[in-house]
Amino acid sequence: MLVGEIMKNKGAGVITVAPDQTMVEVLRLFRDNNIGFVVVSQSNDEYLGSLSERDCCNAVAEYGAEAAMMRVADVMNRNVATCSTRDLLPVAMGIMTQRRTRHVLVMDGGDVVGVVSIGDVVKHRLDEAQRTEQDLQDYICGTRYH
């Protein structure tokens, strides 16, 4: 399956934050939207980096309580893992494994179109395994075959 197909199924788009927002504002956004990753952007046309739950944890570990009021620009990841909508899912999985990240920014040319997460990968693999199991069961029982 292509990464672009996953984007079609889950819906494209990303949640963005400004680089001058505080970490505590972003953490509230994480909580309110049940997410763990945002794109840092000044405008819709560009991205400057990303911020994940792990980035926030690392900032707290390094700076202590003052991390909560730090600007996103001071703790964001500027080296964001990316893949293309035309990449096969195993390519995105390899990027996640190699970069030790749970989120990969999905690009279509120079445009950000979404984020594929480890949860998206697990959901796809689970759906695939269930379809295979059903196909095998149907084959064994002789149903849905002519």
Side-chain angles (χ1 to χ4, degrees):
M1 172 173 271
L2 297 175
V3 172
E5 291 299 313
I6 289 179
M7 290 295 96
K8 285 181 190 172
N9 293 337
K10 85 176 251 185
V14 295
I15 295 179
T16 61
V17 297
D20 60 344
Q21 286 184 258
T22 64
M23 269 201 4
V24 74
E25 290 173 321
V26 175
L27 289 169
R28 287 182 182 129
L29 183 70
F30 285 172
R31 179 198 61 205
D32 294 346
N33 290 279
N34 197 30
I35 58 172
F37 180 90
V38 291
V39 173
V40 182
S41 176
Q42 288 282 29
S43 68
N44 291 338
D45 297 347
E46 66 171 338
Y47 74 94
L48 305 172
S50 67
L51 189 70
S52 69
E53 290 170 320
R54 181 179 291 170
D55 297 325
C56 296
C57 288
N58 289 340
V60 170
E62 186 170 341
Y63 301 107
E66 68 187 53
M69 297 313 295
M70 292 178 72
R71 294 175 340 117
V72 168
D74 297 328
V75 294
M76 71 181 187
N77 177 6
R78 296 180 195 302
N79 186 16
V80 182
T82 64
C83 68
S84 167
T85 55
R86 296 174 300 285
D87 285 334
L88 292 171
L89 186 57
V91 170
M93 293 166 61
I95 292 167
M96 288 178 186
T97 301
Q98 180 183 27
R99 299 280 301 271
R100 298 189 51 79
T101 184
R102 296 178 184 101
H103 303 90
V104 177
L105 208 53
V106 180
M107 308 293 288
D108 188 10
D111 298 326
V112 175
V113 295
V115 174
V116 65
S117 71
I118 192 70
D120 299 326
V121 171
V122 169
K123 180 184 182 319
H124 171 73
R125 290 297 192 194
L126 180 60
D127 291 347
E128 191 175 62
Q130 289 172 334
R131 282 190 304 273
T132 300
E133 182 180 342
Q134 185 62 54
D135 289 345
L136 289 171
Q137 185 72 22
D138 291 346
Y139 178 74
I140 292 167
C141 294
T143 57
R144 294 192 334 178
Y145 286 92
H146 296 44

